[in-house]
Amino acid sequence: MSQNSEYKLILIGNPGVGKTSLFRKLSTGEFTEINISTIGVEKKTFSIDIENKKKAKEEVNVILFDTAGQEKFRSITKNYYKGSDGVLLIYDITDKNSFEQVESWINSIRDSLGKSTDSKYIIFLIGNKLDLINDEGFQRQVTEEQALEACQKFDMIWGKEHSTKDIEFEELNKLFVSFIQTIYNKVGEKKNKKQTKKKLDTQKRGCCESAV
């Protein structure tokens, strides 16, 4: 192909659920123990191979946005929702409140994108911090059954429970690719707007030159 399809994903969820840790591990392959809150938005572009409709490998560009979970940044981060093809909605399985806020996050997404049944985007619900339930002082507060019920109720895809800390980078990358493949299967091919514009501008110039 002369240009790659381009997809936009956003990470959302309450503060402290592990969005930035997931973002940085996907970006660097390393887990950061220090809890650093995102101020506003961070982004990273990935090149990923997926299987296209012809069952052949195709490289696509993926722009992943890590958004701040704090209420004071919501008006800023909400501006980045528009045009999203996929949403990774994260909650902490040891924090019931982070799960109870899932509906609020979904309403925020729908305000910007409409209902996923009407628009071409996918919400993946992901439980994080699976490693903590074996640590002293922590216990599970959200069951998988509750998460599955939420997926059915709000038309989400269950991204399962994970530990960003313990998951191997190869496994995490494979999981990320599977999300992109699912998005591609629903959304289809999406061209990079900048590349398309550049191609059209070139065609226009060529047309004018040949007419002289």
Side-chain angles (χ1 to χ4, degrees):
M1 293 180 62
S2 58
Q3 63 186 51
N4 295 342
S5 294
E6 184 174 273
Y7 299 89
K8 175 183 175 182
L9 274 75
I10 56 172
L11 278 161
I12 64 172
N14 276 22
V17 296
K19 299 186 302 296
T20 299
S21 294
L22 177 60
F23 177 83
R24 294 186 178 179
K25 191 162 188 177
L26 274 169
S27 303
T28 67
E30 298 180 357
F31 176 78
T32 304
E33 287 278 2
I34 302 174
N35 184 15
I36 303 175
S37 296
T38 301
I39 306 299
V41 174
E42 291 185 49
K43 75 172 183 176
K44 173 75 175 179
T45 301
F46 301 84
S47 294
I48 291 177
D49 287 333
I50 52 118
E51 184 180 89
N52 64 22
K53 294 179 180 179
K54 296 180 180 179
K55 303 300 181 181
K57 281 192 176 181
E58 177 179 329
E59 185 179 84
V60 298
N61 295 325
V62 178
I63 305 175
L64 179 65
F65 289 84
D66 176 27
T67 64
Q70 295 95 327
E71 184 68 35
K72 62 182 178 180
F73 294 119
R74 294 279 181 95
S75 60
I76 298 174
T77 59
K78 194 173 180 179
N79 293 329
Y80 288 84
Y81 294 178
K82 292 183 179 180
S84 295
D85 304 295
V87 178
L88 306 183
L89 177 48
I90 317 295
Y91 70 92
D92 177 351
I93 66 173
T94 67
D95 179 5
K96 188 176 181 180
N97 180 61
S98 70
F99 180 73
E100 291 175 340
Q101 290 299 308
V102 162
E103 183 173 1
S104 175
W105 286 107
I106 289 173
N107 289 336
S108 181
I109 287 294
R110 287 177 174 175
D111 285 344
S112 298
L113 301 178
K115 289 187 177 181
S116 57
T117 51
D118 302 324
S119 305
K120 286 191 174 183
Y121 71 90
I122 294 175
I123 301 176
F124 298 92
L125 181 65
I126 301 170
N128 193 27
K129 303 192 180 183
L130 185 61
D131 56 291
L132 290 184
I133 61 174
N134 294 320
D135 289 351
E136 187 175 348
F138 292 93
Q139 61 181 2
R140 176 187 289 276
Q141 294 188 10
V142 183
T143 66
E144 282 195 75
E145 288 76 13
Q146 288 173 310
L148 288 168
E149 287 175 4
C151 287
Q152 185 174 13
K153 180 179 180 180
F154 298 114
D155 190 35
M156 297 183 289
I157 291 180
W158 177 224
K160 300 183 180 180
E161 297 177 340
H162 304 278
S163 166
T164 301
K165 178 181 178 180
D166 292 341
I167 191 171
E168 295 292 335
F169 175 68
E170 292 76 12
E171 185 180 349
L172 179 61
N173 188 62
K174 185 177 179 181
L175 178 67
F176 189 54
V177 171
S178 73
F179 291 158
I180 307 306
Q181 183 69 61
T182 301
I183 291 169
Y184 173 88
N185 292 343
K186 177 172 182 177
V187 175
E189 190 175 275
K190 286 192 67 176
K191 296 297 184 182
N192 183 323
K193 292 181 180 179
K194 290 182 179 179
Q195 290 178 327
T196 302
K197 184 178 185 301
K198 184 177 180 181
K199 182 178 180 181
L200 290 173
D201 289 343
T202 300
Q203 290 174 339
K204 288 178 180 179
R205 286 197 300 272
C207 176
C208 293
E209 289 168 1
S210 63
V212 173

